[in-house]
Amino acid sequence: MQTQEVDIKPNIKVFMRSDSEMLDEVMVVAYGTAKKSAFTGSASVVKADKLEKRQVSNITNALSGSVAGVQTTSGNGQPGTGSTVRIRGVGSLSASNNPLYVVDGVPYDGDISAINSQDIESLTVLKDAASNALYGARGANGVILVTTKEGKEGKATVNIRIENSVSTPVRTIETADPITYMQLHNEAVKTRNPLGVLPYSQSKIDNTIKNLNPYAFPSVDWYDEMFNKYTMNQRVTANISGGGNVARYYIAASFFNDNGVLNVDKQNNFNSNISLKKYSVRSNININLTKTTEAIIRVNGSFDDYRGPIDGGDALYNKVMKTSPVLFPMTYPNVREYTENTHLMFGNYGEGTYINPYADMVKGYKDYSRTSIVAQGELKQNLDFITKGLNIRGLISTTRYVYSDVSRFYNPYYYALGAYNQQENTYSLTLLNPDGGTEYLNYTEGAKDVTTTNYMEIAANYNRDFDTHGVSGMLVFTRRTQQNSNAGDLQKSLPYKNQGLSGRFTYSYDKRYFAEFNFGYNLSLIHISEPTRPLYI
C-alpha cells in the first residue's frame, strides 16, 4: 500500500491505496523469484538501503525492528555476539527454534555473522508453512533468505566507507551504594531474626562513611571500576562493481574492529579487554556463456580474530552483580613489607573462596580464530528453444569452517585483611593461597571444529502465460553432505547426508485469482561402516 500522511481529526477516515510499483516488484522466494502480486505466502523483504544504515558485525542484529512477526533478543552486547531470532514465536520447548538461513540459494549452517551486511542485496523472511514447505522439516521455524549483491552492466563503480562509532550501554542497573547495602543487609537479618548476629557492626559502617581507610573498610563500586562508559569501534568497507554484456562483477572487502568496555589494569603485560577483528572478502562473477546460458561464481571468505576475558563479558557482568561492595577491595597496594612482591595482591575473604571479579578479568585472556570459506558455482540454461518459459539450473557449493581457541592465564594470589590498627591507620594482610598462586602464564586448549559441507542442487522451472491464464511449476532436487573432521569418535566422524525433492505449482486467472501448491520431501542418509577385519600374517 502507498504511504499516506493525514491530519488527525475526529472521526478520521483513511482509504488505503495499492502501490502498483511495489506489486510488480520481484522478490526472492524459496528456490526462485516471484512477483509480490502473485505470491500467496507470508513473507517480508528488507532491502539493502535499510541494511546499510545499520552497520553491524552480525546481520541478525540488523533484523531488530525491521520485519513484522520477527522477534530478536540479545543476551549481551559483547562484540561479535548476534541476536536470537524467532519467527512467529516459539515452536518447540525442547528442540531448536532457530530459523533456517539460506544464502544465495544454499542452506547455511555456519556462523551467519560471516556475511557482511554491506554485501547483502535483500533479506526475505518466509513466515508461514506454505512458503517454507519446499525446505521440508528444516524450514519448520521459518526461513531467512539472504541474497548478496551482483554486478550490473555499466561502468565500474567504487564505493568506500570508513566509519568510527561510539558504543555505550543503553541502560545500566542502579545498585545500592555500599552504606545503604550494609544497612539494608543488617535490616534484613534483624527482620528475620531479632536476635541474629548482624553482619556489619556500626563502627564498620561509620568508618566506611568517613573513608578512614579504603583497604581496611573497602567501598568498591565494581561496575564503575571494571567497565568504561563507552568504547570506540572502527569499520572500513570497500567494493567495486560493473561489467558489460558478457561479464559482470561485484568484488568487496571489509574490516571491522569492535572493542569491549572492560577497564583492564595496566600492570599486566597483556590486555584482556574484548577485541574482535573481522576480515571478509567477497567476489560474485556473472558470465553470459551464450545468449541462453549464464554461469555464476561466488566466493566468500570471513576471518575472525578475537581476544577477551576467559569467562567472557557476560559472565564478568554477572559476577559484578553478585559481589559484595564492602567485603574486600579489588587489590591491595604493594607497599611496606610487600614491596618485593612481583604479583598483584587481589583482595578476598575467609578462606579465599569468594569471587573477585576483577581478578577473574585480568588473570588471563582467551584467543579464538574462526575461518569460514564458501565457494559456489551456478549454471543457468534457458530452454525457450524447446518450449517457451522453460529453464533449468544446477548449483554446487562447498563450505570450509575452522574454529579453535586457547586460553592463557595465571592463578591470582589472594589476600585478606589480618588486623587493623586504628590509631596508626595501618593494617596487616594474610596470604590465603600461598601454594595456589602463580606468577607465570599457563594455557589450556579449547574447542576445535573443522567442518566440511558440500551441497548440490538441480532445478527445473516452467513459467508461462496463456491469455488470462498463468501457469508455473518447479521441481528441485537437493543433496547435502556434512563431515566433522574433529568429531572425537567414529560415529560422529561419519558423513551426515540428507537429500530432498521439492516442488511448487501455481495457477493464476486474470492476474487476480491465485492458487499455489507446495511440497517438500526430505530424508536423511545414515552411512554405517563395516567393522575392519584384522589381518593375520
Side-chain angles (χ1 to χ4, degrees):
M1 298 295 177
Q2 292 180 356
T3 301
Q4 299 183 55
E5 293 184 6
V6 296
D7 295 331
I8 298 178
K9 299 178 181 179
N11 302 321
I12 186 173
K13 294 183 179 180
V14 178
F15 297 94
M16 304 302 294
R17 299 181 179 87
S18 61
D19 192 329
S20 59
E21 292 185 1
M22 291 188 65
L23 290 174
D24 291 335
E25 283 185 5
V26 176
M27 59 184 294
V28 177
V29 296
Y31 299 111
T33 58
K35 284 187 176 182
K36 286 187 176 181
S37 58
F39 183 67
T40 60
S42 177
S44 297
V45 180
V46 184
K47 292 294 187 180
D49 55 350
K50 194 169 186 178
L51 293 173
E52 289 175 354
K53 297 178 181 178
R54 300 187 174 189
Q55 187 75 310
V56 293
S57 57
N58 193 310
I59 66 171
T60 57
N61 296 328
L63 291 173
S64 301
S66 300
V67 182
V70 177
Q71 299 85 37
T72 61
T73 56
S74 180
N76 61 73
Q78 182 169 307
T81 303
S83 299
T84 300
V85 179
R86 296 290 180 263
I87 299 177
R88 289 189 170 179
V90 175
S92 173
L93 296 176
S94 58
S96 172
N97 289 284
N98 295 327
L100 172 66
Y101 292 93
V102 180
V103 182
D104 290 325
V106 178
Y108 197 85
D109 297 309
D111 186 5
I112 197 63
S113 66
I115 310 298
N116 183 4
S117 60
Q118 301 300 301
D119 295 337
I120 297 176
E121 181 66 29
S122 65
L123 286 174
T124 302
V125 182
L126 306 181
K127 307 174 187 178
D128 64 341
S131 57
N132 296 331
L134 278 76
Y135 294 102
R138 300 194 70 194
N141 297 319
V143 181
I144 298 179
L145 307 178
V146 181
T147 304
T148 60
K149 296 178 180 178
E150 295 182 348
K152 298 179 181 179
E153 186 175 342
K155 294 182 179 180
T157 302
V158 179
N159 293 302
I160 300 176
R161 183 171 180 169
I162 302 175
E163 246 187 331
N164 186 77
S165 60
V166 178
S167 295
T168 183
V170 176
R171 184 178 61 180
T172 58
I173 297 176
E174 294 185 8
T175 58
D177 62 87
I179 306 304
T180 305
Y181 176 87
M182 289 188 288
Q183 293 172 342
L184 292 178
H185 196 174
N186 282 348
E187 183 180 336
V189 172
K190 188 181 297 185
T191 301
R192 287 163 177 78
N193 183 7
L195 301 179
V197 179
L198 299 181
Y200 306 105
S201 64
Q202 188 60 44
S203 62
K204 177 176 175 61
I205 296 176
D206 294 338
N207 290 332
T208 304
I209 294 175
K210 297 175 184 178
N211 194 23
L212 186 63
N213 189 310
Y215 302 106
F217 305 99
S219 175
V220 184
D221 189 331
W222 292 98
Y223 184 87
D224 284 348
E225 294 289 348
M226 293 180 54
F227 295 94
N228 293 317
K229 297 185 182 299
Y230 67 92
T231 186
M232 307 291 287
N233 301 318
Q234 296 77 38
R235 296 180 175 91
V236 179
T237 59
N239 62 72
I240 179 172
S241 62
N245 295 328
V246 176
R248 296 163 300 283
Y249 56 88
Y250 175 84
I251 301 173
S254 65
F255 168 71
F256 288 5
N257 181 32
D258 290 348
N259 299 301
V261 293
L262 300 181
N263 184 17
V264 179
D265 194 291
K266 299 296 188 291
Q267 296 184 61
N268 282 331
N269 58 2
F270 59 83
N271 188 351
S272 58
N273 187 23
I274 298 173
S275 174
L276 175 63
K277 293 179 173 56
K278 179 185 290 290
Y279 312 84
S280 68
V281 292
R282 173 172 293 277
S283 175
N284 291 349
I285 309 296
N286 299 59
I287 303 175
N288 294 333
L289 302 179
T290 67
K291 293 183 178 181
T292 59
T293 308
E294 182 184 14
I296 305 174
I297 301 296
R298 304 183 183 96
V299 179
N300 176 46
S302 177
F303 314 91
D304 294 355
D305 292 325
Y306 169 91
R307 170 169 292 186
I310 296 175
D311 295 335
D314 54 341
L316 284 177
Y317 181 84
N318 291 333
K319 292 178 180 180
V320 165
M321 292 294 107
K322 298 176 182 178
T323 303
S324 169
V326 295
L327 204 57
F328 50 82
M330 295 192 304
T331 60
Y332 292 99
N334 295 50
V335 295
R336 297 191 307 274
E337 65 268 32
Y338 307 106
T339 55
E340 299 298 327
N341 286 355
T342 56
H343 56 260
L344 292 174
M345 301 166 58
F346 295 100
N348 214 298
Y349 190 79
E351 298 180 357
T353 57
Y354 284 78
I355 294 175
N356 184 327
Y358 185 75
D360 288 348
M361 179 179 72
V362 301
K363 70 179 181 181
Y365 59 93
K366 176 181 179 180
D367 285 340
Y368 77 64
S369 176
R370 179 167 52 200
T371 301
S372 177
I373 299 177
V374 183
Q376 300 178 19
E378 186 175 4
L379 187 66
K380 298 180 180 180
Q381 178 62 55
N382 189 309
L383 299 179
D384 281 350
F385 56 87
I386 297 178
T387 181
K388 187 177 180 181
L390 179 64
N391 60 77
I392 60 173
R393 63 182 178 85
L395 184 149
I396 57 174
S397 173
T398 183
T399 302
R400 300 293 190 269
Y401 176 82
V402 179
Y403 172 90
S404 64
D405 69 62
V406 60
S407 297
R408 300 176 179 88
F409 58 92
Y410 63 83
N411 298 324
Y413 283 97
Y414 291 116
Y415 290 78
L417 185 71
Y420 174 67
N421 188 328
Q422 187 168 355
Q423 292 181 351
E424 299 180 2
N425 195 23
T426 60
Y427 58 86
S428 63
L429 298 176
T430 301
L431 178 58
L432 301 177
N433 59 335
D435 299 326
T438 58
E439 296 183 350
Y440 56 86
L441 284 179
N442 202 343
Y443 90 105
T444 57
E445 295 182 4
K448 291 181 174 61
D449 188 5
V450 181
T451 305
T452 301
T453 305
N454 297 320
Y455 178 82
M456 178 192 70
E457 177 180 310
I458 301 174
N461 186 68
Y462 178 75
N463 190 352
R464 191 170 179 180
D465 292 332
F466 301 91
D467 296 329
T468 58
H469 304 277
V471 179
S472 70
M474 181 187 66
L475 284 175
V476 180
F477 173 78
T478 62
R479 185 180 179 93
R480 175 180 171 274
T481 303
Q482 180 174 311
Q483 184 170 3
N484 190 340
S485 302
N486 199 50
D489 60 57
L490 174 62
Q491 295 300 324
K492 293 181 180 179
S493 68
L494 298 176
Y496 171 76
K497 303 178 181 179
N498 59 54
Q499 64 184 30
L501 180 66
S502 304
R504 176 171 57 229
F505 305 97
T506 65
Y507 170 78
S508 65
Y509 174 74
D510 197 25
K511 296 183 179 181
R512 297 175 61 190
Y513 305 98
F514 301 91
E516 181 174 327
F517 172 74
N518 298 282
F519 78 90
Y521 176 74
N522 307 95
L523 69 155
S524 298
L525 305 178
I526 302 176
H527 175 72
I528 302 177
S529 61
E530 296 182 358
T532 304
R533 296 181 179 180
L535 175 64
Y536 297 97
I537 299 178

